Amino acid sequence: LRHHALTLIEWIVTYKPSAVKRHNMLPAIMAVVFPVCAEVVDEDERDDLAVTPHQYAADLLLVMSESLPSRAVFEAAAPYISQYLQMDDAPHKKAALAAIAVLADACSVAMRPHLPQLLGHVLACFQVPDKEVYMTACIVVNAFAENLVPDIIAYHAQVVPVLFTALQSPDPVVQRKGLLTLEVFVANLRDEIRPYLRPLMERLLTLCASGALEVKDVAAATIGSVMEACTKDDFAPFAEATFNVLRPLIHLAGEDEQVAKGRAIESLGLLAKLMGKESFASCIGEVTAAAMTAFDAQGAYCFDLEELALSFFSIVVRCFGNDFAPFVPTLMPHVLKLICAEEYDDNGSLDGSDAAAIAAAAEGMASADAGDDGDADSESAAAGAKEGKDIAIGDDDDDDDDDDDDDDD
């Protein structure tokens, strides 16, 4: 019955937004949604229901933020967020954090002036001795890093040390959540990364070398984000160690190891881009051969591995120019096969890294034919599969910022 009631509210918000605004229904809806978000759900109920009421209520917040003026939604939610963050019990804190993560996308413009206060409360939640509160706080920082740039970068001195505590946790689940957040956050840094570079790389390399399998892939991906934030000179002291740690991962063969293998391959492509083809020339054959195995991979994660291998090729073709020409005859049959077999997007174009790899390979061949040195500046086309962030209690997804509807209506 509660599901039906929440569904009715969702339909009204979606199909009758003008009525919701005209009758000022948002405060009444929030008065129902937030208490439901804070409910404690026992394991039996969680197992019996595909979507629990508190998950549905959190999803309803997302629907409201997308269907109604974002400033009005945030202002209606703000009193509950503030109240719940200051309460001592974990369920209320978690509900407030989940609401912030949900609203950070569509309501980002309305949220920006409140970032200092919100961030202070969020970072304080990392000190709460509750695993779910800790991980939901990671989700919020991830949402800030995706949707409140560049504002959030000004707080790097507060954020990075807190996220680093997740990497020190003995729990692989907490490590993974912290790494996913750190991957997004450090990608936005530039010179700001220098004070954290050594301790961060030491820990990331340790997790890649000896961490649990479920953290190796995100640790390798986070190293890639660090490299994109660094200059060549800044990263030079870590280049050799990074190659030596990632190198064994590209030869992983287990079905459940394919994503870690793909992330390592992609990050080695970023290493070649950052340090230059001269420093990578001796191992390009080995890494390319490992990436080629993605096209024959089988199992649940074979498509992830293939996407990450294509991302690698789209990077190194531009990086190596003429020098990649010997590998093109082996690569192109796989790429041409993808042109014929890969799913097309709604516009009739190849999706993501497939199209990037095809374009990069064509560019590399054209460069070789023209006798070009292949060293022209170009942007990385790395866009491999990535696990996204949770935006509601118990749910994982990933979305981009869209502020265009903020003050309309």
Side-chain angles (χ1 to χ4, degrees):
L1 188 60
R2 299 176 76 197
H3 273 275
H4 291 310
L6 289 168
T7 301
L8 178 58
I9 295 174
E10 179 183 348
W11 287 353
I12 292 172
V13 169
T14 303
Y15 297 109
K16 296 293 184 180
S18 296
V20 174
K21 291 182 286 184
R22 185 168 59 251
H23 296 288
N24 194 27
M25 297 170 63
L26 267 177
I29 295 174
M30 292 297 181
V32 171
V33 167
F34 270 87
V36 176
C37 284
E39 288 184 355
V40 178
V41 181
D42 59 41
E43 291 302 319
D44 290 338
E45 184 179 6
R46 193 186 300 272
D47 294 338
D48 292 342
L49 297 174
V51 180
T52 61
H54 80 301
Q55 289 174 326
Y56 206 124
D59 291 340
L60 182 53
L61 280 174
L62 179 61
V63 172
M64 286 190 287
S65 71
E66 293 174 340
S67 303
L68 299 169
S70 57
R71 189 174 300 279
V73 173
F74 179 75
E75 289 176 353
Y80 294 95
I81 292 173
S82 178
Q83 177 188 350
Y84 282 23
L85 284 173
Q86 297 178 56
M87 298 177 74
D88 293 332
D89 62 299
H92 281 89
K93 287 185 180 294
K94 186 180 174 185
L97 292 169
I100 296 171
V102 168
L103 299 176
D105 184 358
C107 301
S108 61
V109 171
M111 190 177 286
R112 285 179 194 274
H114 304 276
L115 178 59
Q117 294 80 14
L118 289 173
L119 184 61
H121 286 298
V122 171
L123 296 181
C125 288
F126 282 89
Q127 307 302 319
V128 175
D130 183 280
K131 178 179 175 180
E132 291 194 357
V133 170
Y134 188 103
M135 293 197 298
T136 310
C138 284
I139 295 167
V140 175
V141 176
N142 192 316
F144 286 167
E146 293 226 350
N147 299 293
L148 298 182
V149 176
D151 305 56
I152 187 63
I153 302 306
Y155 302 94
H156 64 87
Q158 290 81 37
V159 173
V160 175
V162 169
L163 293 179
F164 198 81
T165 64
L167 276 59
Q168 304 290 4
S169 170
D171 188 338
V173 176
V174 174
Q175 289 177 353
R176 182 178 181 85
K177 189 66 70 178
L179 284 166
L180 287 168
T181 304
L182 202 57
E183 177 191 358
V184 177
F185 190 86
V186 300
N188 296 310
L189 302 179
R190 290 300 176 262
D191 293 343
E192 300 92 345
I193 200 172
R194 287 173 180 161
Y196 319 111
L197 190 54
R198 181 166 296 280
L200 187 57
M201 284 303 302
E202 288 174 354
R203 185 58 182 156
L204 290 173
L205 292 172
T206 298
L207 290 173
C208 277
S210 57
L213 178 61
E214 59 262 40
V215 304
K216 286 179 183 283
D217 63 326
V218 281
T222 305
I223 290 174
S225 289
V226 170
M227 286 189 285
E228 292 196 281
C230 285
T231 65
K232 178 178 179 178
D233 290 341
D234 286 339
F235 197 79
F238 311 101
E240 183 176 358
T242 298
F243 177 77
N244 291 337
V245 168
L246 293 179
R247 186 179 190 179
L249 300 184
I250 70 174
H251 298 295
L252 294 173
E255 180 179 335
D256 57 346
E257 298 172 324
Q258 296 307 291
V259 178
K261 174 178 179 175
R263 289 294 184 192
I265 289 171
E266 181 184 49
S267 291
L268 285 174
L270 293 170
L271 180 64
K273 176 188 174 185
L274 178 62
M275 302 309 297
K277 64 180 182 180
E278 294 79 9
S279 62
F280 205 75
S282 62
C283 52
I284 183 62
E286 178 184 359
V287 185
T288 296
M292 290 288 187
T293 64
F295 301 117
D296 299 316
Q298 302 293 323
Y301 302 103
C302 63
F303 295 111
D304 292 332
L305 177 58
E306 186 180 75
E307 289 245 354
L308 292 164
L310 288 166
S311 176
F312 165 80
F313 286 123
S314 69
I315 297 168
V316 297
V317 166
R318 291 186 172 97
C319 177
F320 276 78
N322 288 359
D323 296 332
F324 194 79
F327 304 102
V328 170
T330 306
L331 172 62
M332 285 309 296
H334 297 292
V335 174
L336 294 173
K337 182 179 179 181
L338 284 171
I339 295 176
C340 299
E342 189 64 36
E343 291 185 2
Y344 284 74
D345 65 17
D346 294 338
N347 297 319
S349 302
L350 282 171
D351 289 339
S353 55
D354 297 339
I358 294 168
E363 178 183 323
M365 289 192 297
S367 175
D369 291 341
D372 193 16
D373 64 4
D375 289 333
D377 292 336
S378 62
E379 296 181 359
S380 169
K386 124 177 165 176
E387 183 175 338
K389 66 173 174 35
D390 300 2
I391 63 163
I393 305 174
D395 291 342
D396 291 340
D397 77 1
D398 185 50
D399 208 349
D400 292 325
D401 183 21
D402 184 2
D403 300 330
D404 294 340
D405 63 345
D406 184 59
D407 291 317
D408 294 340
D409 301 325

